[in-house]
Amino acid sequence: MEPVIPDDKQSEHQVTSPIIEALGVSKIYKVAGEMVSLVSDVTLQIGYGDFVVIFGPSGAGKSTLMTMLMGLEKPDIGEVFLKGESLYGYSEEQLTAIRRKKISYFQQTQFWIDSMDLVDNVALPLYLLGKRRRPARIQATKMLEEVGLKDSLHVKPHLLSSGQQQKAALARALIKEPWLIFADEPTAHLDTKSVEEVTKTLLSTSKKYGITIIMVTHDLNFLKLSEKWLFMRDGRLWDIEDRNNPFTSIRDAMSFVDTQVKKQDDTQDKPFEVTA
Amino acid sequence: MRQLFFIRLALLNTFKKRLRACLAIGGIALSSCIMIILFGVSAGLQQLVSTEISRSESKDTVTVNQRNIQQIKLDQENISKIQSISGVTAVERSVGLLGTMTYHGIALNLPTYGVTKDYFAAVPTTYNAGSGLELSDNDIVVSKKVLEVFGIDQRQAVGRQISANASLTKDYNSRQTEPSVVGAVRTYKIIGVVDRGELPVAYLPIEGLQEQGLDSVSQLKVRLAVPEKMPAVRESIEQMGFQTTSVQDTIGQINKLFGVIKNILIIFGFITFAITVSSAFTIITLTLMEETRQIGFLRISGLPNRDVKKLFIIQSVLLTSLGALFGIVCGVLGGAIVNGAAQAASAGEAFSGPIIIFEIPVVQIIIVLMLSSIIGWAVGILPAKRAILIKPLDELKE
């Protein structure tokens, strides 16, 4: 199906005040003696409180891009800005402090410290911030109650179901009230009911706290819930501004992007909504 | 607060594999315990031997013997010369002879020493009963064995009358022509009982022997004003042709012997600690290999590299220090048991005080604690450096 991209959408979704911004970011690796660009010249802007979905086939460079946005790996070319400040202009010490205070990461299989109970595991980001154990545990308990796990406070987290573990991980990601949550396939391996519950909790709590969520996923159901669709393939990023297009698979998205690129090549002067 | 969390996390990580942690700590503890016991026993024995020797002879006393009985004699002329040496306060004489003691018709031949009145003041002695410090003309000090032979109870020995005489040899009487002349039997009052093990021995006043013709002695105990004068006094006496000895010589030899033992123990200690280093290193490296996801997660969560290092080093220092601490406690307890056993075994034996075979080796304890912390720190460094090279996101996705 040919997607319809109305012209006025571009201005409607213009990000005026980005919380995070990437300008011409590239990451190059040497693989078997050859230089391979895993992320090529990516530019993006994400606003405060946005829920952004980055999707694309495996090996597209989504995780590498996320690594750079999280301040874990410096891009070879380009800049990442957090609240207008160059992220890699900070010292290593400052970068880790930013991650400690304002960035959370949430993935499909959770890491837990098996010998600690759920409350301690959820309170862990607060311990890293130097908070005392008692108030940290009180805060973690409240957060767990908020995500619906008040009956599992003192169990070992690995004994919980996958859905419950994801909710607990969400509580852990939210507890320090971050600016940004990077979610890497958070609902993979979950049953339909758990996907719904986790998604609902993720969206409601992040809305409540005004947190920006950048999600890497293969689950295209998230597209209809998000404000921004970023498609990635072969290290390149397309900001798909027409969210009326109902992609049902990654393949759909790929053929859509191919069509748009072809169109853009044909009409060089015409403004195009799919930007690479 | 973050430090407390690290310590807690390090403890949890260390004891995650309990058996392995216990084996590692046990190994370190065992080696530390052995070291502490060996050093403690070595120090204790050294102290015990030195004390026992010091008790038998004062540190400010020089013993003078003839080099050869045929040559220069310890006669009145030489004794007067020795008395006049600067720093000498008193000279106590003794002569060893063969004597006979009779009690209720039972006769006993025994070594008999003729001693001056203040002889026992120069030779610190532990008495089973009475004392020899106020030895007068008709007094005698005997050993426990003498009483056993005569069937006298030690507690009732002091004050009893006993007959004794000594045979004077021509070595000690220049006017005598016969090899040996039996002296007149005299009655003495027992004033002290000493423990000389299975040896029957008697000490009687030398004055009676002088009346018999004694004009030289076999040994002198030269008492000094201050122990610092000892080298000079000894040199002067030796220049006269006599042989001198002092308790300091024996203590010096004992210290030399224990110095060698200590060096052997130090080498043994280094070998033990090399084993400790390798076991701690293996365990910390294994922990690193098992905890890469944890490190990945903590680094993504904003743990700085220096804190990742700190976590590993705390873990490593905890392992080695706990082992060392546990070993020290076991070593000290073991030493206390050794002391208890030694005291139980030596009850009623010839020692002059409580037996302390094991002395807490404070310096070695401090060294073991410091070394264990340094080793912990050193073996934690390399795995910690490897930990910060981990790609956190990759590890977390493993």
Side-chain angles (χ1 to χ4, degrees), chain B residues 7-18 20-22 25 283-284 287 314-316 318-319 322:
Chain B
I7 292 169
R8 188 167 159 234
L9 189 59
L11 267 171
L12 289 172
N13 285 346
T14 306
F15 290 101
K16 196 173 173 184
K17 297 277 161 81
R18 278 188 199 140
R20 191 171 66 196
C22 289
I25 290 173
I283 282 165
I284 297 298
T287 309
I314 290 175
Q315 231 168 290
S316 174
L318 257 178
L319 201 71
L322 273 179

Short mmCIF file of all heavy atoms in Angstrom, two decimals, chain B residues 7-18 20-22 25 283-284 287 314-316 318-319 322:
data_model
loop_
_atom_site.label_atom_id
_atom_site.label_comp_id
_atom_site.label_asym_id
_atom_site.label_seq_id
_atom_site.Cartn_x
_atom_site.Cartn_y
_atom_site.Cartn_z
N ILE B 7 30.55 -2.50 49.73
CA ILE B 7 31.02 -3.55 50.66
C ILE B 7 29.98 -4.68 50.71
O ILE B 7 30.31 -5.86 50.66
CB ILE B 7 31.30 -2.95 52.05
CG1 ILE B 7 32.52 -2.02 51.95
CG2 ILE B 7 31.55 -4.04 53.08
CD1 ILE B 7 32.78 -1.17 53.16
N ARG B 8 28.70 -4.27 50.76
CA ARG B 8 27.63 -5.26 50.82
C ARG B 8 27.62 -6.11 49.53
O ARG B 8 27.53 -7.34 49.58
CB ARG B 8 26.31 -4.52 51.00
CG ARG B 8 25.16 -5.43 51.27
CD ARG B 8 23.96 -4.65 51.75
NE ARG B 8 22.79 -5.45 51.53
CZ ARG B 8 21.73 -5.05 50.86
NH1 ARG B 8 21.68 -3.83 50.37
NH2 ARG B 8 20.69 -5.83 50.70
N LEU B 9 27.71 -5.41 48.41
CA LEU B 9 27.69 -6.11 47.12
C LEU B 9 28.91 -7.02 46.99
O LEU B 9 28.80 -8.15 46.51
CB LEU B 9 27.66 -5.07 45.98
CG LEU B 9 27.42 -5.63 44.58
CD1 LEU B 9 26.10 -6.37 44.50
CD2 LEU B 9 27.42 -4.50 43.55
N ALA B 10 30.05 -6.52 47.44
CA ALA B 10 31.28 -7.32 47.38
C ALA B 10 31.13 -8.58 48.24
O ALA B 10 31.51 -9.67 47.83
CB ALA B 10 32.47 -6.50 47.87
N LEU B 11 30.52 -8.41 49.42
CA LEU B 11 30.28 -9.57 50.30
C LEU B 11 29.35 -10.57 49.62
O LEU B 11 29.60 -11.78 49.63
CB LEU B 11 29.66 -9.09 51.61
CG LEU B 11 30.63 -8.79 52.75
CD1 LEU B 11 29.90 -8.13 53.90
CD2 LEU B 11 31.29 -10.06 53.24
N LEU B 12 28.26 -10.03 49.03
CA LEU B 12 27.30 -10.91 48.36
C LEU B 12 27.96 -11.65 47.20
O LEU B 12 27.77 -12.85 47.03
CB LEU B 12 26.11 -10.10 47.86
CG LEU B 12 25.16 -9.57 48.93
CD1 LEU B 12 24.13 -8.62 48.33
CD2 LEU B 12 24.46 -10.72 49.64
N ASN B 13 28.77 -10.92 46.43
CA ASN B 13 29.46 -11.55 45.30
C ASN B 13 30.44 -12.60 45.77
O ASN B 13 30.54 -13.67 45.20
CB ASN B 13 30.21 -10.50 44.47
CG ASN B 13 29.27 -9.67 43.62
OD1 ASN B 13 28.11 -10.01 43.45
ND2 ASN B 13 29.76 -8.57 43.10
N THR B 14 31.17 -12.24 46.84
CA THR B 14 32.18 -13.17 47.36
C THR B 14 31.54 -14.47 47.82
O THR B 14 32.07 -15.55 47.57
CB THR B 14 32.95 -12.51 48.53
OG1 THR B 14 33.45 -11.26 48.07
CG2 THR B 14 34.11 -13.35 48.99
N PHE B 15 30.42 -14.33 48.50
CA PHE B 15 29.80 -15.53 49.08
C PHE B 15 28.68 -16.12 48.22
O PHE B 15 27.92 -16.96 48.68
CB PHE B 15 29.30 -15.24 50.50
CG PHE B 15 30.44 -15.05 51.45
CD1 PHE B 15 30.84 -13.78 51.84
CD2 PHE B 15 31.15 -16.13 51.92
CE1 PHE B 15 31.91 -13.60 52.69
CE2 PHE B 15 32.23 -15.96 52.76
CZ PHE B 15 32.61 -14.70 53.15
N LYS B 16 28.63 -15.65 46.98
CA LYS B 16 27.62 -16.21 46.07
C LYS B 16 27.89 -17.70 45.87
O LYS B 16 26.99 -18.52 45.93
CB LYS B 16 27.69 -15.46 44.73
CG LYS B 16 26.50 -15.67 43.86
CD LYS B 16 26.58 -14.77 42.67
CE LYS B 16 25.48 -15.08 41.70
NZ LYS B 16 25.61 -14.27 40.49
N LYS B 17 29.16 -17.99 45.62
CA LYS B 17 29.56 -19.41 45.54
C LYS B 17 30.19 -19.72 46.90
O LYS B 17 31.39 -19.51 47.09
CB LYS B 17 30.56 -19.61 44.40
CG LYS B 17 29.99 -19.29 43.02
CD LYS B 17 29.22 -20.47 42.47
CE LYS B 17 28.27 -20.10 41.36
NZ LYS B 17 28.81 -19.95 40.08
N ARG B 18 29.33 -20.20 47.81
CA ARG B 18 29.78 -20.32 49.20
C ARG B 18 30.94 -21.29 49.38
O ARG B 18 31.90 -21.00 50.09
CB ARG B 18 28.62 -20.74 50.09
CG ARG B 18 27.79 -19.53 50.44
CD ARG B 18 26.74 -19.84 51.46
NE ARG B 18 25.75 -18.76 51.36
CZ ARG B 18 24.47 -18.93 51.44
NH1 ARG B 18 23.97 -20.11 51.63
NH2 ARG B 18 23.65 -17.91 51.35
N ARG B 20 33.17 -22.30 47.29
CA ARG B 20 34.43 -21.79 46.74
C ARG B 20 35.02 -20.71 47.65
O ARG B 20 36.21 -20.73 47.95
CB ARG B 20 34.18 -21.24 45.34
CG ARG B 20 35.46 -20.94 44.62
CD ARG B 20 35.20 -20.61 43.18
NE ARG B 20 34.46 -19.35 43.08
CZ ARG B 20 33.82 -18.95 41.98
NH1 ARG B 20 33.79 -19.73 40.92
NH2 ARG B 20 33.20 -17.80 41.95
N ALA B 21 34.15 -19.81 48.10
CA ALA B 21 34.62 -18.72 48.99
C ALA B 21 35.17 -19.31 50.28
O ALA B 21 36.23 -18.89 50.76
CB ALA B 21 33.48 -17.76 49.27
N CYS B 22 34.44 -20.29 50.83
CA CYS B 22 34.88 -20.88 52.10
C CYS B 22 36.21 -21.61 51.91
O CYS B 22 37.08 -21.55 52.78
CB CYS B 22 33.83 -21.84 52.65
SG CYS B 22 32.40 -20.94 53.25
N ILE B 25 38.87 -18.84 51.62
CA ILE B 25 39.11 -18.22 52.93
C ILE B 25 39.78 -19.23 53.87
O ILE B 25 40.72 -18.90 54.59
CB ILE B 25 37.81 -17.66 53.52
CG1 ILE B 25 37.39 -16.44 52.70
CG2 ILE B 25 37.95 -17.30 55.00
CD1 ILE B 25 36.04 -15.87 53.05
N ILE B 283 40.33 -16.91 42.20
CA ILE B 283 38.93 -16.73 42.59
C ILE B 283 38.39 -15.40 42.09
O ILE B 283 37.26 -15.32 41.58
CB ILE B 283 38.80 -16.91 44.11
CG1 ILE B 283 38.82 -18.41 44.37
CG2 ILE B 283 37.51 -16.33 44.65
CD1 ILE B 283 39.06 -18.81 45.74
N ILE B 284 39.18 -14.36 42.21
CA ILE B 284 38.71 -13.05 41.76
C ILE B 284 38.51 -13.06 40.24
O ILE B 284 37.54 -12.52 39.72
CB ILE B 284 39.69 -11.94 42.19
CG1 ILE B 284 39.78 -11.86 43.71
CG2 ILE B 284 39.31 -10.59 41.62
CD1 ILE B 284 38.51 -11.51 44.42
N THR B 287 35.38 -14.85 39.51
CA THR B 287 34.24 -13.99 39.84
C THR B 287 33.99 -13.00 38.70
O THR B 287 32.86 -12.78 38.30
CB THR B 287 34.51 -13.22 41.15
OG1 THR B 287 34.90 -14.15 42.11
CG2 THR B 287 33.29 -12.47 41.62
N ILE B 314 37.69 -4.37 46.65
CA ILE B 314 37.04 -4.63 47.95
C ILE B 314 36.81 -6.14 48.09
O ILE B 314 37.09 -6.74 49.13
CB ILE B 314 35.71 -3.86 48.09
CG1 ILE B 314 35.96 -2.36 48.23
CG2 ILE B 314 34.90 -4.36 49.28
CD1 ILE B 314 34.70 -1.51 48.27
N GLN B 315 36.31 -6.75 46.99
CA GLN B 315 36.02 -8.18 47.01
C GLN B 315 37.29 -8.98 47.32
O GLN B 315 37.28 -9.89 48.14
CB GLN B 315 35.53 -8.56 45.62
CG GLN B 315 34.22 -9.33 45.64
CD GLN B 315 33.64 -9.41 44.26
OE1 GLN B 315 33.19 -8.41 43.72
NE2 GLN B 315 33.65 -10.58 43.68
N SER B 316 38.34 -8.59 46.65
CA SER B 316 39.60 -9.30 46.78
C SER B 316 40.20 -9.10 48.18
O SER B 316 40.65 -10.05 48.82
CB SER B 316 40.52 -8.77 45.69
OG SER B 316 41.76 -9.28 45.81
N LEU B 318 38.57 -8.27 50.84
CA LEU B 318 37.68 -8.95 51.79
C LEU B 318 38.07 -10.42 51.92
O LEU B 318 38.20 -10.95 53.03
CB LEU B 318 36.24 -8.90 51.27
CG LEU B 318 35.30 -7.90 51.90
CD1 LEU B 318 33.95 -7.94 51.23
CD2 LEU B 318 35.14 -8.16 53.38
N LEU B 319 38.29 -11.03 50.78
CA LEU B 319 38.62 -12.45 50.74
C LEU B 319 39.92 -12.74 51.49
O LEU B 319 39.97 -13.59 52.38
CB LEU B 319 38.76 -12.87 49.27
CG LEU B 319 38.61 -14.34 48.95
CD1 LEU B 319 37.16 -14.77 49.12
CD2 LEU B 319 39.04 -14.60 47.51
N LEU B 322 39.66 -11.48 55.33
CA LEU B 322 38.83 -12.36 56.15
C LEU B 322 39.59 -13.65 56.44
O LEU B 322 39.57 -14.15 57.57
CB LEU B 322 37.53 -12.70 55.43
CG LEU B 322 36.37 -11.72 55.61
CD1 LEU B 322 35.16 -12.16 54.81
CD2 LEU B 322 35.97 -11.64 57.08
#
